[in-house]
């Protein structure tokens, strides 16, 4: 297809879908209009992020937007709860007006939702915070953009919860704004689709069919965990995410180690312990460690509880860390501060490999600063652009975003520690789904010395705080 399919907005909503947008509280959504959008669902996220990052393209009254936070866990409790959808990411932004004397800035939550049991966001809800709303913002409590797999043709919808008394007839301002935004998202999806092949790289290390077939079995076996959830966090997101990661790890281990990693696994910063629980239940040997025990821990069967430990990782322990053993497979599942330590410890302790899913960007003892943190030397003959491209970072953020730059830094660290860098866009319901996998040490005689140098520098800086574990382990 060489040009964008015709944009044909319509508002005879009932004719096209029986999937209205439904809140789980008592607020009512109104459908405004829709258009056919025969694009793959995977490009919705890119289009939504383009919309979030550039509000100035849609209003001459807006200067730009400033990102205040970008979370994929512990999302604000105030975001709308939508039937059959799981919130997977929330960007808190501030809209800055072009004429500050005339209009006020406005904060907004931009929440992405994936349909239950899917890993791809197809719904974006924008929620302004505070009143009165400035003139440049439509008079709504929420406005939603939603892609639906309707038959015979897929569709893109705008729904809204207008402020009381706001007209929504076809001549109203809200209708016209909705129309312009629908056109924009449609155009962005088309743009993203033409780059689609370049952007999305799933199924690099594990074939799709193998993963999906095993995932369905695992999902049936463990979906009951949603009903047993003990944490304040969203069970749908966490349970299906950890089932996906466990499935992936099991297939990776089967293909790499013919069955199991030789010295078991270490779930490094295991949090609620769910991933450890699933892997132990599947017959794997391993341990989960975290600074503090979670409510869930005491609800797992004794066979899992025996493998969850309150333990603070300390890079300079007075006695050897009992959990870091040769032949172990390290799991860094959104492990935040522990993430950069994964490849380093894997080399230092002669691990058999690791999976590292980065989330919040940390270096060894401080938050990652993209302006001052330098990449480690790159493989021979590779410049930064070629190296970044080899990582298949996906279309979730631009190459200059903090998250992308952090991933490139982490990959450079991984190969500096002597590991062949492999990466995968995992099929899990999280927008932080890009993983680094280490399975093979490259013949680099300087890798061990590189690791020692980093450890020495961290020790000399003296900033890393080895935290006191909570509870009994901290009292010993
Ligand atoms: C973002 S959470 C991820 C938890 C879990 N892996 C998940 O995906 O749900 C990061 C975890 O690392 C733990 N952590 C941070 N520093 C640690 C340290 N020095 N030793 C042990 N755990 C640590 C925190 O307590 C937290 O539970």
């Amino acid at each position: 297809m060489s040009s964008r399919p015709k944009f044909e907005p319509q508002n005879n909503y009932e004719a096209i879908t029986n999937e209205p947008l439904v809140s789980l509280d008592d607020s009512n959504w109104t459908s405004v209009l829709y258009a056919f959008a025969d694009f793959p669902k995977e490009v919705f996220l890119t289009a939504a992020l383009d919309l979030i990052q550039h509000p100035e393209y849609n209003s001459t009254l807006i200067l730009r937007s400033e990102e205040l936070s970008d979370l994929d866990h512990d999302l604000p409790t105030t975001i709308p709860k939508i039937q059959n959808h799981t919130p997977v990411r929330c960007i808190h932004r501030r809209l800055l007006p072009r004429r500050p004397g005339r209009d006020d800035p406005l904060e907004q939550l931009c929440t992405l939702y994936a349909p239950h049991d899917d890993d791809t966001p197809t719904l974006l809800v924008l929620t302004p915070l505070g009143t009165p709303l400035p003139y440049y913002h439509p008079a709504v409590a929420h406005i939603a953009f939603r892609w639906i797999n309707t038959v015979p043709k897929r569709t893109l919808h705008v729904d809204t919860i207008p402020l009381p008394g706001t007209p929504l007839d076809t001549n109203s301002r809200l209708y016209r704004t909705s129309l312009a935004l629908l056109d924009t998202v449609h155009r962005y999806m088309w743009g993203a689709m033409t780059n689609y092949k370049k952007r999305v790289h799933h199924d690099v290390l594990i074939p799709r069919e193998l993963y999906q077939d095993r995932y369905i079995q695992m999902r049936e076996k463990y979906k009951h965990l949603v009903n047993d959830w003990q944490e304040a966090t969203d069970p749908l997101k966490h349970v299906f995410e950890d089932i996906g990661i466990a499935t992936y790890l099991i297939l990776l281990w089967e293909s790499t180690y013919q069955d199991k990693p030789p010295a078991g696994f270490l779930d490094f910063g295991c949090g609620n312990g769910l991933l450890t629980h699933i892997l132990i239940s599947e017959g794997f040997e391993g341990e989960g460690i975290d600074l503090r025990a979670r409510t869930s821990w005491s609800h797992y069967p004794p066979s899992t509880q025996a493998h969850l430990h309150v333990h603070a990782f300390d890079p300079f322990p007075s006695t050897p860390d009992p959990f870091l053993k040769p032949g172990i497979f390290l799991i860094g599942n959104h492990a935040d501060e522990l993430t950069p330590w994964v490849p380093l410890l894997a080399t230092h302790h002669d691990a058999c490999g690791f999976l590292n899913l980065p989330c919040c960007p940390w270096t060894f003892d401080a938050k990652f600063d993209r302006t001052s943190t330098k990449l480690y030397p790159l493989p021979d003959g590779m410049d930064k652009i070629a190296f970044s491209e080899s990582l298949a970072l996906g279309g979730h953020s631009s190459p200059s975003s903090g998250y992308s730059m952090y991933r490139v830094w982490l990959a450079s660290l991984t190969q500096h520690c002597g590991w062949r860098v492999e990466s995968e866009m995992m099929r899990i319901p999280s927008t932080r789904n890009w993983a680094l996998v280490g399975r093979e040490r490259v013949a680099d005689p300087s890798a061990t010395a590189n690791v020692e140098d980093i450890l020495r520098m961290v020790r000399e800086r003296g900033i890393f705080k080895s935290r006191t574990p909570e509870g009994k382990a901290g009292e010993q």
Side-chain angles (χ1 to χ4, degrees), residues 203 205-218 247-248 250-252 254-255 427:
D203 319 310
L205 307 185
I206 304 292
R208 174 182 182 154
E209 295 71 23
L210 205 60
Y211 174 82
Q212 289 181 329
D213 292 352
R214 185 71 80 91
Y215 175 77
I216 289 167
Q217 293 167 6
M218 292 280 284
T247 306
Y248 187 87
I250 292 169
L251 292 168
L252 187 77
E254 281 176 6
S255 66
R427 292 183 174 277

Side-chain angles (χ1 to χ4, degrees), residues 73 269-272 290-291 294 311-313 333-338:
H73 55 275
C270 63
N272 56 45
D290 204 283
L291 279 176
R294 303 295 157 85
H311 177 81
F313 160 69
N333 172 16
H334 297 154
D336 292 354
E337 295 100 314
L338 300 177

Side-chain angles (χ1 to χ4, degrees), residues 404-452:
S404 289
M405 289 170 80
Y406 180 62
R407 291 181 291 162
V408 176
W409 176 80
L410 195 63
S412 75
L413 167 68
T414 299
Q415 66 90 34
H416 191 60
C417 294
W419 294 91
R420 184 160 82 84
V421 173
E422 298 183 274
S423 64
E424 178 86 274
M425 198 66 79
M426 292 180 68
R427 292 183 174 277
I428 53 172
S430 166
T431 51
R432 295 292 189 249
N433 64 340
W434 182 87
L436 276 169
V437 175
R439 298 188 287 178
E440 201 185 310
R441 297 275 287 272
V442 289
D444 177 358
S446 53
T448 310
N450 294 342
V451 165
E452 297 301 332

Side-chain angles (χ1 to χ4, degrees), residues 140-429:
V140 297
H142 308 282
I143 184 164
F145 304 88
R146 185 166 58 125
W147 178 92
I148 313 183
N149 195 10
T150 31
V151 177
K153 276 199 214 163
R154 300 172 280 189
T155 46
L156 188 62
H157 297 245
V158 177
D159 299 77
T160 184
I161 302 184
L163 293 181
T166 307
L168 239 179
D169 58 89
T170 48
N171 293 319
S172 65
R173 187 163 166 244
L174 179 52
Y175 185 89
R176 282 183 280 118
T177 305
S178 302
L179 179 61
L181 291 173
L182 182 70
D183 188 8
T184 302
V185 179
H186 188 273
R187 182 159 36 84
Y188 288 168
M189 284 189 83
W190 158 248
M193 189 177 84
T194 51
N195 284 323
Y196 179 50
K197 282 212 159 50
K198 267 199 288 183
R199 285 170 181 263
V200 183
H201 290 259
H202 290 291
D203 319 310
V204 178
L205 307 185
I206 304 292
R208 174 182 182 154
E209 295 71 23
L210 205 60
Y211 174 82
Q212 289 181 329
D213 292 352
R214 185 71 80 91
Y215 175 77
I216 289 167
Q217 293 167 6
M218 292 280 284
R219 188 186 62 194
E220 287 312 299
K221 195 163 165 191
Y222 293 105
K223 67 180 184 194
H224 67 91
L225 292 166
V226 169
N227 304 323
D228 306 340
W229 193 243
Q230 302 296 328
E231 308 287 339
T233 48
D234 181 358
L236 290 165
K237 172 171 163 44
H238 285 273
V239 170
F240 293 117
E241 183 172 316
D242 284 357
I243 294 174
I245 297 171
T247 306
Y248 187 87
L249 282 170
I250 292 169
L251 292 168
L252 187 77
W253 293 340
E254 281 176 6
S255 66
T256 310
Y257 312 111
Q258 271 71 51
D259 190 8
K260 302 176 176 197
F265 68 84
L266 178 63
D267 187 355
F268 199 38
C270 63
N272 56 45
L274 180 60
L275 181 60
T276 299
H277 171 62
I278 298 173
L279 292 171
I280 294 282
S281 309
E282 286 298 298
F284 291 90
E285 282 153 29
E287 313 297 327
I289 60 167
D290 204 283
L291 279 176
R292 67 186 174 92
R294 303 295 157 85
T295 317
S296 307
W297 289 19
S298 58
H299 291 81
Y300 294 125
S303 50
T304 296
Q305 286 190 38
H307 295 276
L308 292 169
H309 310 271
V310 176
H311 177 81
F313 160 69
D314 178 353
F316 312 110
S318 47
T319 54
D321 191 318
F323 296 105
L324 293 164
K325 302 180 285 191
I328 198 121
F329 187 97
L330 284 166
I331 304 170
N333 172 16
H334 297 154
D336 292 354
E337 295 100 314
L338 300 177
T339 302
W341 290 98
V342 169
L344 184 132
L345 294 173
T347 302
H348 197 55
H349 294 278
D350 216 6
C352 66
F354 58 85
L355 175 102
N356 209 4
L357 257 169
C359 186
C360 300
W362 281 85
T363 61
F364 297 100
D365 50 13
K367 288 212 159 154
F368 176 77
D369 176 357
R370 64 176 156 177
T371 54
S372 63
T373 315
K374 292 203 167 43
L375 295 188
Y376 290 95
L378 299 178
D380 280 347
M382 265 211 185
D383 62 16
K384 192 176 155 185
I385 295 175
F387 185 63
S388 307
E389 282 179 2
S390 74
L391 300 173
L393 297 171
H396 294 245
S397 44
S398 78
S400 58
S401 75
Y403 176 52
S404 289
M405 289 170 80
Y406 180 62
R407 291 181 291 162
V408 176
W409 176 80
L410 195 63
S412 75
L413 167 68
T414 299
Q415 66 90 34
H416 191 60
C417 294
W419 294 91
R420 184 160 82 84
V421 173
E422 298 183 274
S423 64
E424 178 86 274
M425 198 66 79
M426 292 180 68
R427 292 183 174 277
I428 53 172

